[in-house]
Amino acid sequence: MRGVLFRMLQGWAAALCAAVAIALLDAALALREGGAALLPAAAASYSLLSGVSFFVAPAVSILSWSYSGLAVQIKGVSNSVLWPCRAAAFVIGVVLLARVSLWALLLTAAPAVIGAIMAVLALALTALLAVAANLAAGQLAGLPALKELTPRQGLLLASLIATVIPALLIATGQTSGAGGALAMFGVLRRAELDLRAPTVLLAWLAFAWFLADKIEIRRVGVLAGVVGLGLLGSALGYRAWTDDVTLALRRAAPLTGTVLGPVWRLSDRDHDGASALFGGGDCDDHNASRYPGAVDQPGNGVDEDCSGSDDPAVALEAAAGAGLKPAPATTVRDKLPAKLNVVLITIDTLRHDLGYLGYQRPVSPNLDELVKKSVLFERAYSLASYTGKSLGPSLIGKYPGETARNFGHFDKYSTDNVFIQERAQKAGIRTVSVQAHWYMKENTGLGRGFDVLDLSAAPKVPQAEGDRSVTSDKLTDAAIAQLQTLQGDGKQFYLWVHYLDPHAEYVPHEEFNFGRNQRALYDGEVAFTDKHIGRLLQFLEGSSLAPNTALIVTSDHGEAFGEHGLIRHGFELWEELIRVPLIVHVPGIAPRRESVRRSNIDLVPTLLDLLGIPKPEAGAPDALSGQSLLPDLLLPAGQHAAVRPVFADLCAGPYNDERQALIEDDKKLITAMGRPAGLYDLSSDEAEKNNLLSNTALLATMKAQMAQF
């Protein structure tokens, strides 16, 4: 018993020593884009990881103990060969199980059923491969090259097989999961999975194991002294949990950021979603009405949002909240053709900065031509920076946080939500959807309410993301075929087409070869998509539908190329991620450009006006949160639309924390889990490089604006 306790203490001392290096690594990874200083962030990280070390210590001790006894257990050459054979069986099993898992991911069965199937398959596969490994070891043990293999060499070879081969598969595979059983391991490089945390944890275990095995500390007193120094360092580091350090570590520190969430939840005594420990910011953990992110009632003497003081009463600008007021009762629908058709084109992952806004590469000639005869909203915004949390709400007409949905990566929207196509179908309008991705099916909500759901352009073998598929050509072919049918029917219709090709992975197109870096490949995808959208526009223009068909083009979110240290999209609400195109062409309405900010929350009210469908009353369960853009479209020459606030709402999901942003005039406040994370003046700082959080007066005003919203 004494030996066990000594071994555990030795493991804890090693884990605490290794935690110093891991905390520095974690902080350095979190602070690559600036923000908090390295040493305070590392000190704060260490104060948290030192507590986690109590749970890491047993693993270190077991590893050390197992290895020291391994030489005794595997004296024979056959056993030395057995470990590499088992490692090879492990790799084969992972490949096979991963292939089955990809198939299971696309099933519509209940998660419990899928989990049970996977568990049975995993157990059966483990038993089968264990037997195969033993048989293979017996055959290989007689080979001359393996006869002299020592236990240590066998274990080293097994370790290399079990780590290097999977690492190569992950490094060389496609992040889309396409390309077969081996290429699919690239999925593990996806930002949504963020395997940096388990990688850093494994590095911690390996370093601590090395220390425990190599540093011969034989006296309990010395071990206790090391542990004591570690805990003292932890106590001193705890004082480093300032707001900027907390935000940086939670946002980007691989291991610390991952551990923080569970620690906050476990230590949240009043169950208000915030903790008083490790920068959780709860100023009263016995009062559920006081926590970071609570709406502070200005001037009441109570600091509800734990900002350090009660927010002063602020005289809000007249424009504040104007977007929340119902539109005037006067109708503008009478100025449009009766029974107007509508074609909605959404383009996945399309940034706002296209040719018509001055982008130098010729990526959007057809959209540029469309702008010349349309109303362009130059500063339009998506509702979030990820498809599953943006596209559905845009077609429901509510902010993401207002919708009824599950907590999935691919959000599923329940029948409590009413989509625009359901409203149109109920009004007797023909509804058609042309898609190239399985997510648009009826069981996710996005396919509900369509008379025709055309998935002929979708890959025959569905992928988790569908990234490597080239579908714009097939999608346009399918859309034109549907339009030909609709033209023959003569009925009023609503058609939605969603193009996917700009979404990563970026597939090269020799016709649009701008280079081989990521932005160049992305631009090639945009140009390829624009070419085929051009075919659709050309068909419409030359058909009898043209005089009576409105057209809207927009996107679900943008794409980042390192502007704020982020590649691709999701996770944050920077301008490059949520500014999107918004082009509205209505026959008879004069083309022009609007510079006021607008949001895709206005999409459904606009579609209802164009289709001639009455909007639900304010306060109704299916009431809309946006306003129709039709009054903006019909403004007399020389007049410009009124300013309205813009709100982006990235709800928490299995791979992302909550982010919200409010833009009031040109001021933009971003919050992370209810706490101010960034404040910018977009009129002079569109790149969002100058954080104005230190401007307490402006921050108080913007917090009041967001609270009112």
Side-chain angles (χ1 to χ4, degrees), residues 121-455:
L121 288 174
L123 287 171
L125 197 59
T126 299
L128 181 64
L129 290 172
V131 172
N134 291 339
L135 292 174
Q139 296 297 317
L140 294 173
L143 295 177
L146 300 178
K147 280 186 176 181
E148 302 301 319
L149 195 67
T150 67
R152 182 178 288 272
Q153 291 170 338
L155 184 62
L156 178 61
L157 179 59
S159 300
L160 289 173
I161 292 172
T163 57
V164 174
I165 294 178
L168 287 173
L169 291 174
I170 293 169
T172 58
Q174 302 291 348
T175 57
S176 64
L182 300 182
M184 66 170 290
F185 278 85
V187 167
L188 298 178
R189 296 204 315 274
R190 291 190 66 88
E192 296 94 318
L193 299 180
D194 194 3
L195 294 182
R196 296 179 307 158
T199 302
V200 172
L201 179 60
L202 287 173
W204 187 7
L205 281 170
F207 189 27
W209 180 21
F210 172 82
L211 291 177
D213 187 53
K214 296 298 182 184
I215 300 175
E216 296 293 336
I217 304 175
R218 295 300 181 186
R219 287 182 294 176
V220 174
V222 175
L223 286 175
V226 172
V227 171
L229 284 173
L231 296 180
L232 177 61
S234 173
L236 294 173
Y238 184 78
R239 302 174 62 184
W241 284 98
T242 58
D243 283 347
D244 56 345
V245 165
T246 302
L247 183 60
L249 292 176
R250 178 60 172 158
R251 264 182 162 175
L255 187 56
T256 307
T258 301
V259 171
L260 259 181
V263 168
W264 281 344
R265 285 192 292 273
L266 289 171
S267 58
D268 177 16
R269 287 183 289 181
D270 57 6
H271 306 294
D272 57 8
S275 168
L277 303 178
F278 297 105
D282 196 336
C283 52
D284 186 350
D285 212 10
H286 298 283
N287 185 345
S289 64
R290 299 183 65 198
Y291 60 93
V295 176
D296 194 285
Q297 302 300 322
N300 68 347
V302 180
D303 178 20
E304 286 97 346
D305 64 354
C306 295
S307 62
S309 63
D310 179 33
D311 285 350
V314 177
L316 302 181
E317 299 174 12
L324 304 179
K325 299 174 184 176
T330 56
T331 178
V332 293
R333 184 60 181 80
D334 296 339
K335 299 182 180 181
L336 301 179
K339 292 190 175 181
L340 194 66
N341 305 310
V342 178
V343 175
L344 172 65
I345 297 176
T346 52
I347 306 167
D348 211 295
T349 323
L350 187 63
R351 289 170 62 111
H352 73 282
D353 52 351
L354 298 174
Y356 55 76
L357 287 181
Y359 190 55
Q360 295 302 308
R361 283 177 178 159
V363 298
S364 56
N366 291 293
L367 291 179
D368 297 345
E369 284 299 313
L370 177 63
V371 164
K372 293 178 182 178
K373 58 181 181 179
S374 307
V375 176
L376 170 68
F377 292 91
E378 295 179 331
R379 292 179 173 86
Y381 290 81
S382 61
L383 298 182
S385 59
Y386 171 66
T387 302
K389 293 167 176 57
S390 174
L391 195 57
S394 295
L395 300 177
I396 293 167
K398 292 180 179 289
Y399 291 103
E402 297 179 299
T403 59
R405 67 197 187 288
N406 70 349
F407 192 69
H409 182 53
F410 290 100
D411 296 75
K412 293 185 178 181
Y413 294 87
S414 77
T415 53
D416 292 335
N417 306 285
V418 183
F419 284 86
I420 175 61
Q421 64 267 17
E422 294 179 284
R423 298 180 191 273
Q425 189 180 57
K426 187 177 179 180
I429 296 169
R430 184 83 167 153
T431 56
V432 180
S433 178
V434 181
Q435 305 295 334
H437 196 276
W438 65 267
Y439 181 51
M440 309 305 175
K441 288 184 178 180
E442 188 171 353
N443 69 327
T444 64
L446 279 79
R448 194 168 59 238
F450 284 107
D451 299 321
V452 176
L453 179 55
D454 186 338
L455 288 164

Side-chain angles (χ1 to χ4, degrees), residues 17 62 76 95 119 191 233 255 257 259 279 324 375 377 388 416 439 487 493 521 590 619 643 647 663 683 689 701 704:
C17 291
I62 291 170
V95 171
L255 187 56
V259 171
L324 304 179
V375 176
F377 292 91
D416 292 335
Y439 181 51
Q487 185 177 222
F493 66 84
L521 290 170
V643 173
F647 184 64
I663 306 175
S683 64
K689 296 299 184 183
T701 300

Side-chain angles (χ1 to χ4, degrees), residues 43-60:
S45 173
Y46 183 79
S47 72
L48 179 63
L49 296 183
S50 60
V52 179
S53 69
F54 185 78
F55 301 96
V56 173
V60 174

